[in-house]
Amino acid sequence: MVAAPETDGAVLLLDVRTPAEFESAHIDGSVNVPLDRLEEYLPQLADAMTGRSVLICQSGGRARTAQTKLTAAGLHGSVVMTGGLNAWISSGAPVNRGRRSWSLERQVRLVAGLLVLVSVTLSLWWAPALLATAFVGAGLTYAGASDNCMMGMLLARLPYNRGGAGDPTAALARACRR
């Protein structure tokens, strides 16, 4: 069971998933600042993170990366929601739902699987195609060891994952006024 973060304004709920994932489902009152744009919003985050902050992603990995980046920038006191939004939803906690989209993790699994399938198939006629399989394997190994998925970061930049959540500036300004 995931403990519900306080939403009385004293806690900033910072969702670091892609805008499309955020549009699909998010906790009421959370602010979306995608992980790949975190540095861009550090000044606004410094103003908004005056109290406690809970970092949210789909399963916890991106939130831990965000916490590391925020701490390195001098913004301390954040906690990562254990299990991310997946655990939150599994516990029956409420979410705001919108347009459905695939999670970044699901997209990574699809692309990695397709790359392996296509490269193995092509290797039947052209042996060097197996290098793509080795490249995907090395990338997945690195992602598992470092908890940092480069393919996920690349996929997050696609227009499909940008969604229409808009610029986080206004949401962070509202969070500062709480």
Side-chain angles (χ1 to χ4, degrees), residues 5 12 27 46-47 55-56 65 73 76-77 96 101 106 112 116 120 154-155:
L12 173 66
I27 298 171
D47 291 339
L55 304 176
I56 305 163
T65 301
H76 303 281
N96 291 341
S101 67
R106 183 176 181 188
V116 168
V120 167
L154 291 172
L155 289 171

Side-chain angles (χ1 to χ4, degrees), residues 76-96:
H76 303 281
S78 63
V79 295
V80 173
M81 179 183 285
T82 305
L85 196 65
N86 288 340
W88 178 265
I89 292 170
S90 293
S91 73
V95 293
N96 291 341

Side-chain angles (χ1 to χ4, degrees), residues 28 30 37-38 68 83 95 99 117 120 156-158 165 168 176:
D28 191 35
S30 60
R37 298 184 69 196
L38 203 62
T68 300
V95 293
R99 180 182 63 89
L117 180 63
V120 167
R157 296 178 184 271
L158 293 176
C176 290

Side-chain angles (χ1 to χ4, degrees), residues 24-63:
S24 181
H26 63 271
I27 298 171
D28 191 35
S30 60
V31 175
N32 181 228
V33 179
L35 179 60
D36 67 333
R37 298 184 69 196
L38 203 62
E39 289 88 359
E40 179 182 339
Y41 290 97
L42 283 175
Q44 294 95 327
L45 287 166
D47 291 339
M49 294 178 68
T50 57
R52 296 185 343 202
S53 302
V54 177
L55 304 176
I56 305 163
C57 69
Q58 200 67 35
S59 60
R62 284 179 279 172

Side-chain angles (χ1 to χ4, degrees), residues 85-161:
L85 196 65
N86 288 340
W88 178 265
I89 292 170
S90 293
S91 73
V95 293
N96 291 341
R97 295 211 181 259
R99 180 182 63 89
R100 301 266 311 159
S101 67
W102 283 16
S103 72
L104 203 53
E105 286 89 352
R106 183 176 181 188
Q107 293 175 54
V108 167
R109 290 191 302 265
L110 175 70
V111 171
L114 283 173
L115 285 172
V116 168
L117 180 63
V118 168
S119 67
V120 167
T121 302
L122 286 176
S123 74
L124 296 173
W125 296 278
W126 189 56
L130 277 178
L131 291 174
T133 305
F135 183 72
V136 170
L140 292 172
T141 301
Y142 172 77
S146 68
D147 204 15
N148 184 10
C149 182
M150 299 310 290
M151 185 185 296
M153 294 301 216
L154 291 172
L155 289 171
R157 296 178 184 271
L158 293 176
Y160 169 83
N161 287 315

